[in-house]
Amino acid sequence: YIPAYSTRLKFESGVWSVLPPNPSDVMGMEDPIWTESFWDVIHLRVYSVQDATFDNLILLGGIAVTVLAYFAIVGTRTAVTKALKRD
């Protein structure tokens, strides 16, 4: 177990203070002071948002691929049917 920060910490006017304990919490369950994990330093990740034009191009490209695939399937089916001489 690793010591952890109290859940009763309060930051006010640039100063950290510990709030008084809750007298109705006789088992001390409200303010645990130990944790099982040792967490590394908190990191911040910033993600950039792409332009809506890029999303629209991806959508149009997907529609074009779908339409071309449909025509390829219809063409292939016609060619196979003709090659097998099924009318």
Side-chain angles (χ1 to χ4, degrees), residues 24-42:
S24 64
D25 184 26
V26 293
M27 298 293 288
M29 298 304 290
E30 187 176 304
D31 186 28
I33 56 171
W34 301 95
T35 184
E36 292 182 20
S37 301
F38 180 71
W39 297 98
D40 201 1
V41 179
I42 296 174

Side-chain angles (χ1 to χ4, degrees), residues 3 5 7-8 18 20 24 29 34 42-43 53 57 64 83-84 87:
Y5 293 109
T7 56
R8 295 183 294 128
V18 178
S24 64
M29 298 304 290
W34 301 95
I42 296 174
H43 299 281
T53 306
L57 288 174
L84 295 176
D87 285 329

Side-chain angles (χ1 to χ4, degrees), residues 40-87:
D40 201 1
V41 179
I42 296 174
H43 299 281
L44 176 68
R45 289 186 183 177
V46 178
Y47 295 96
S48 61
V49 177
Q50 59 204 21
D51 192 20
T53 306
F54 181 74
D55 291 337
N56 292 334
L57 288 174
I58 296 295
L59 176 64
L60 290 175
I63 292 171
V65 167
T66 303
V67 169
L68 290 173
Y70 174 77
F71 286 129
I73 291 169
V74 169
T76 303
R77 185 183 301 163
T78 304
V80 169
T81 303
K82 188 174 182 178
L84 295 176
K85 298 184 186 198
R86 292 186 187 171
D87 285 329

